[in-house]
Amino acid sequence: MYFPADQHQFAACVKTIFNDPGLRFLFSTRAPVPDLLDENGKPFYKDKEFRPGKDDELRDAEGGGYVVSFGEVTYRALDAIIRLNEQGIKVGLINKSTLNVYDEEIMKLLIKAPWVLVAEGWNVKTGMGSRFGSELLKRGFKGKYNNIGTHLEGCGGLWQQMGYQGLDPEGISKAIKALVG
């Protein structure tokens, strides 16, 4: 199950998995999202090979906690993280584009963090975040954990729902600050 975060990662994902045997689920919002940029302002995924089962650390937490995200929420989480880091709150970002496989290297990084927040566009009760915390615990995580996702009934498109569900940069920042204390 794959949910790339921008056009470059999407194209690399399709190229990599297209001829794989068996079922593959590739999720997309079908709406354009901005390119994810590295610390130097360059597209993070441009000309980068897609590695199934591997998560990407888009920002280092530098001793702080991490947000784990995928798909259309990732760039919103990155926006929140940039703003919080500017305020002195140390936050890193993991893009988990392979949803049903745990990258053990990244899990080792996360279990050392003081807190982890999963921010996703899926339902908070049944999405990836509802299981991710248990997987962290199995590996020895002792920090604080929360997951945010869709949880309110409503109508409208993606743009209307993100703020309404608390999945815009402001809502993600609020959830991070609640974990930081």
Side-chain angles (χ1 to χ4, degrees):
M1 292 176 38
Y2 306 102
F3 202 150
D6 73 7
Q7 66 171 333
H8 301 293
Q9 189 181 38
F10 192 93
C13 179
V14 170
K15 183 179 177 183
T16 300
I17 70 167
F18 188 79
N19 290 313
D20 287 352
L23 294 174
R24 294 160 316 283
F25 294 94
L26 178 58
F27 297 93
S28 169
T29 63
R30 298 180 304 165
V33 296
D35 293 345
L36 294 173
L37 304 179
D38 63 19
E39 284 103 349
N40 299 316
K42 305 273 191 241
F44 186 89
Y45 287 108
K46 188 170 184 175
D47 302 321
K48 193 170 188 174
E49 181 183 346
F50 182 80
R51 302 168 304 147
K54 291 295 184 182
D55 301 336
D56 293 305
E57 184 179 21
L58 299 179
R59 292 294 190 276
D60 181 359
E62 299 177 12
Y66 279 93
V67 173
V68 177
S69 191
F70 59 88
E72 79 283 5
V73 178
T74 307
Y75 83 88
R76 292 171 169 95
L78 181 57
D79 185 9
I81 286 164
I82 290 169
R83 293 179 196 189
L84 290 171
N85 281 328
E86 288 172 353
Q87 296 171 25
I89 300 172
K90 295 181 187 293
V91 184
L93 178 60
I94 303 296
N95 177 29
K96 182 164 188 47
S97 54
T98 304
L99 303 178
N100 60 334
V101 175
Y102 297 100
D103 180 343
E104 293 305 325
E105 185 178 323
I106 293 295
M107 295 300 273
K108 286 177 186 172
L109 176 71
L110 294 175
I111 63 171
K112 296 175 188 170
W115 57 266
V116 173
L117 172 71
V118 171
E120 63 180 311
W122 292 357
N123 189 282
V124 73
K125 293 180 182 176
T126 59
M128 195 233 357
S130 66
R131 293 177 306 281
F132 198 81
S134 296
E135 291 299 321
L136 284 172
L137 286 172
K138 288 177 187 176
R139 290 163 176 81
F141 180 66
K142 300 203 182 331
K144 295 179 183 178
Y145 178 82
N146 196 11
N147 63 306
I148 58 173
T150 59
H151 62 283
L152 300 169
E153 284 192 39
C155 57
L158 185 62
W159 296 107
Q160 295 89 355
Q161 285 297 311
M162 289 312 216
Y164 179 65
Q165 300 289 344
L167 297 171
D168 59 348
E170 291 76 22
I172 295 168
S173 292
K174 183 178 175 183
I176 291 168
K177 288 178 180 178
L179 279 172
V180 171

